Amino acid sequence: MMMESHEERDEYKRKQQFDYLTSDVLKERKKHALAKIHFNAWGNIIFYISAAITLSQAIMATLAQSKFKEEQGNMNIAIAFFASFSVFWQSLIKHWNYGGKSSMHESAATALGKIYNVALIRARHVRMNMKKKVNTKGATGGGGGSGSSSSATSEGATTGGGDKSGSKPDGGSNVVTHGDGGEEEKSD
């Protein structure tokens, strides 16, 4: 009785640790997914600003070469200002590297998703193994009396004298349990 309570306590502790681990992994995954969206949005905004600066610079250069000869000096100054600001802006874009940060956060979120899936698969595997151990303990262990049904399985049939028979957990030959607690193998 004490072993079951100890095993149940261990199982509860493992489940708590697993739940903590998976919730932590899911939180980090969500953080990386949100960071990816954030950096991707900033990367797009900066790109549109850069495109607008370059477009206005091209429009001003075209207008400076047209009929407005008297205002060409002011236009050239404005073009030079936009060109220098464009170069500065491009260097900031490279320094900030929002596109690279976005893809790195996306990779991290994907990796954390894979870790979460592996953890779920391993947890299912452990649960199935524990159920098999419990079933195996129930099929081979037990009190040994004629009233003990722990050694009988669904394939078992009652033989003479209240004995019960069943198949071994490894799928081998049948086992016959006698009323005195002894067992013997019976081949098919």
Side-chain angles (χ1 to χ4, degrees):
M1 189 77 169
M2 190 61 154
M3 287 298 270
E4 289 178 4
S5 124
H6 180 68
E7 288 175 1
E8 288 174 358
R9 199 171 38 233
D10 287 346
E11 176 63 26
Y12 179 73
K13 191 174 184 179
R14 276 192 294 269
K15 182 163 177 18
Q16 277 187 325
Q17 289 171 344
F18 177 75
D19 290 344
Y20 177 75
L21 170 76
T22 54
S23 67
D24 215 23
V25 167
L26 288 175
K27 281 191 276 186
E28 290 299 317
R29 180 181 177 200
K30 186 55 93 173
K31 285 179 188 177
H32 283 289
L34 291 173
K36 175 213 170 244
I37 292 168
H38 172 78
F39 286 124
N40 200 13
W42 274 108
N44 288 338
I45 289 170
I46 289 173
F47 170 76
Y48 292 135
I49 292 172
S50 175
I53 291 170
T54 305
L55 180 65
S56 63
Q57 181 183 350
I59 290 172
M60 290 178 71
T62 304
L63 289 176
Q65 297 300 322
S66 67
K67 300 177 185 173
F68 302 113
K69 299 280 183 192
E70 61 276 350
E71 294 181 16
Q72 191 171 9
N74 292 338
M75 291 285 240
N76 286 339
I77 292 173
I79 291 170
F81 172 76
F82 275 114
S84 61
F85 184 74
S86 178
V87 168
F88 174 72
W89 190 254
Q90 291 297 324
S91 66
L92 281 180
I93 289 174
K94 281 192 171 202
H95 177 71
W96 290 330
N97 193 19
Y98 286 133
K101 289 178 183 178
S102 173
S103 64
M104 294 299 265
H105 281 288
E106 182 179 19
S107 297
T110 303
L112 286 169
K114 289 179 183 178
I115 290 171
Y116 176 73
N117 290 336
V118 167
L120 286 180
I121 290 169
R122 285 191 180 169
R124 281 189 208 125
H125 182 69
V126 166
R127 265 188 260 127
M128 288 191 315
N129 283 343
M130 291 183 83
K131 285 180 182 179
K132 285 181 184 178
K133 285 181 183 178
V134 168
N135 290 340
T136 304
K137 283 181 183 178
T140 59
S146 63
S148 172
S149 62
S150 63
S151 61
T153 63
S154 61
E155 293 179 15
T158 304
T159 59
D163 297 340
K164 297 185 180 189
S165 65
S167 64
K168 290 173 97 177
D170 62 4
S173 60
N174 288 338
V175 176
V176 177
T177 306
H178 300 285
D180 62 8
E183 293 182 350
E184 69 179 72
E185 287 191 20
K186 182 178 176 182
S187 344
D188 288 334

